Amino acid sequence: MNAESVANHFQVPGRLVALQPIGAGNVNDTYRVIFRTTFSEEQFILQRINQAVFKDPVAVMANMKAVTDHAHRRIEAEADQADRIWQLPRVIPAKDGRDYTVDGKGHYWRALSMIASSTNYEKVNEPEHAAEAGRVLGYFQRIISDFPAGELADTLPGFHIAPGYLGKYDRVLASEGAQERLFAVSEARRLAKFVEQRRGFVSVLEDAKERGELHLRPIHGDPKITNVMIDDFTGKGTAIVDLDTVKPGLIHYDFGDAVRSGCNPAGEETSDLSEVYLDLDLFSALVRGYLTEAREFLTESDKKYLYDSVRLIAFELGLRFYTDYLAGDVYFKINYEAQNLNRARVQFALCESIEAREGKMRGILEKYC
Ligand code: GN1
Ligand code: MG
């Protein structure tokens, strides 16, 4: 079934006017849909859930519904004291009352409300943007921090468990296809060395979790800069979107991901490695914004691991891209040959830059914690 006919399955008044694919996202297929009645227009987001990644789409939608219902109540309760109008996508029910619809081929689709008058950006160049990205993540984590993580399904087993990604890498590396790529591409061999030098630190967060220093909480899972919506009128952050990775995890996965994405002015897709670095002004601003909200729920041990989370998540994402390149691009969508290798090069260059700035980054964290 095509997206046009699926769009009619949801509880939206009016008739379909337009349906436009939105290129963003490395995993799901996303469309912006416009419906009109005689007097009004309604726009919403329609997504086909990638079932190669999300094996249990019903559980993904149950997590999303439970967390957004909770968060919407908190947003309402605090609205009078807030310095802005916070938004968060709402799951639009299908006409049969479910939170998704299934097409004739067994594909799962969902509809989500749009965030009004706002824009997301691929890159960050101004500290104020980075501060808003930090603030938006801290706010989201804060309003879901009292939601019991145990009630959420683990919809992506192994997600952000770095030692698991290393195990997967080792298995892929041994395959014939991977060996052929390594033999043919010198840059691929260079990245293999980069990974070898960092094996030791890959379990830093999982070890702390094992020791009971860090605890599972509800997290966003994917707070990269393109998922942060900036209000077109005020320039302030107004929402975080892309909620299909909301599940139990360490808040560090989120913090690390927000920083690796929001403090590298070159973005994820550049091919010029000389542009890639961790910008300390952006970092300082992001940390300031994040802690405005997060100070309330962070423990002393949480704070201890913030730097490590940044280094680790940049490394981990590089490793995930690199592994996917070696495996023949089976997970992340690509638009050109060797795109996943290039994405890995960017994250590893960023990781090196983070390592070189460890002292300064720890200093900034101490100042704001
Ligand atoms: C994927 O689909 P998208 O673009 O929101 C990935 C994230 C990565 C991100 C990097 C479920 O997110 O973990 O950080 O690409 N999502 C999943 O751009 O693997
Ligand atoms: Mg995502």
Side-chain angles (χ1 to χ4, degrees), residues 139-186:
Y139 177 77
F140 180 73
Q141 285 187 342
R142 183 171 67 70
I143 61 172
I144 64 170
S145 63
D146 58 336
F147 188 92
E151 286 180 19
L152 294 173
D154 186 358
T155 45
L156 267 180
F159 191 53
H160 288 312
I161 310 288
Y165 291 117
L166 197 59
K168 169 103 186 282
Y169 165 74
D170 286 335
R171 287 193 297 280
V172 167
L173 196 65
S175 70
E176 210 174 300
Q179 286 301 318
E180 274 168 21
R181 282 188 168 79
L182 279 174
F183 183 74
V185 183
S186 67

Side-chain angles (χ1 to χ4, degrees), residues 24-28 53-54 156 159-160 165 221-222 224 226-227 242 244-245 257 260 268-269 313 316-317 320-321 331-332 343:
N26 297 328
V27 173
N28 297 311
V53 172
F54 297 102
L156 267 180
F159 191 53
H160 288 312
Y165 291 117
D222 189 13
K224 63 181 185 182
T226 47
N227 289 335
D242 192 11
D244 54 10
T245 46
D257 197 59
R260 67 115 202 119
E268 274 177 41
E269 298 288 350
I313 298 295
E316 175 192 286
L317 184 59
R320 293 171 63 200
F321 284 143
Y331 187 98
F332 296 106
R343 288 167 170 158

